[in-house]
Amino acid sequence: MNVKLAFIAIGGNSLIKNKDLQTVEDQHQAIHETIRHVADLIEQGYQVAFYHGDGVQVGFIILRSEVARRETGLHLVPLVNVVADTQGSIGYQIQQSLNNELAAREIGGQSLTVVTQVVVDKDDAGFKKPAKPVGEF
């Protein structure tokens, strides 16, 4: 059996169309627009796997956490938890949009979301000179 596989990367910045379209709902709409094209691939017999970025979304949550700390004294959310939050929430939006699109097209199958963990070498050179921004840029 010849399996056709498409690996699709969705950048966190691609979910922010402009400064006026940054809400969670706006991001969900951007995902849905992408998913329509992905469903076309599935109709052609492809299996798909996604990877998504989340730098902007992580920045939004960190900012919310900092404002909540400043305004109410609420605890800060650790970066590892923020990243897990964005992995789950963006994954959920992709999963929900894809499952809904497949159902609307009467295509069988279900998608799922996996939240991952990575062990990073504490001596990695990237810690000495960070190059990947978190938040808006």
Side-chain angles (χ1 to χ4, degrees):
M1 182 171 128
N2 189 13
V3 176
K4 298 189 297 186
L5 178 64
F7 188 78
I8 300 166
I10 300 174
N13 283 300
S14 74
L15 304 179
I16 307 297
K17 294 199 168 226
N18 62 53
K19 292 234 180 241
D20 296 325
L21 298 172
Q22 295 186 358
T23 69
V24 172
E25 294 81 8
D26 295 329
Q27 293 175 64
H28 197 139
Q29 181 59 38
I31 287 171
H32 185 67
E33 290 172 16
T34 299
I35 290 302
R36 288 189 207 125
H37 301 290
V38 174
D40 293 342
L41 290 172
I42 293 170
E43 280 186 320
Q44 296 171 31
Y46 282 86
Q47 293 183 9
V48 298
F50 292 93
Y51 169 82
H52 65 80
D54 61 357
V56 176
Q57 293 77 14
V58 165
F60 289 161
I61 294 173
I62 289 172
L63 179 58
R64 284 186 203 108
S65 178
E66 291 168 347
V67 169
R69 171 73 170 196
R70 187 173 54 250
E71 297 297 319
T72 69
L74 194 62
H75 66 279
L76 293 173
V77 180
L79 180 61
V80 295
N81 293 81
V82 172
V83 172
D85 183 4
T86 58
Q87 279 188 40
S89 62
I90 294 171
Y92 169 79
Q93 290 180 333
I94 293 168
Q95 178 181 339
Q96 183 186 46
S97 289
L98 184 55
N99 287 343
N100 288 345
E101 188 68 24
L102 294 177
R105 295 182 188 208
E106 298 181 350
I107 300 171
Q110 290 283 313
S111 62
L112 62 97
T113 299
V114 178
V115 175
T116 61
Q117 291 182 315
V118 177
V119 176
V120 179
D121 182 348
K122 66 180 175 20
D123 297 321
D124 188 287
F127 289 117
K128 293 177 181 69
K129 188 176 180 185
K132 174 69 173 115
V134 173
E136 290 184 86
F137 65 93

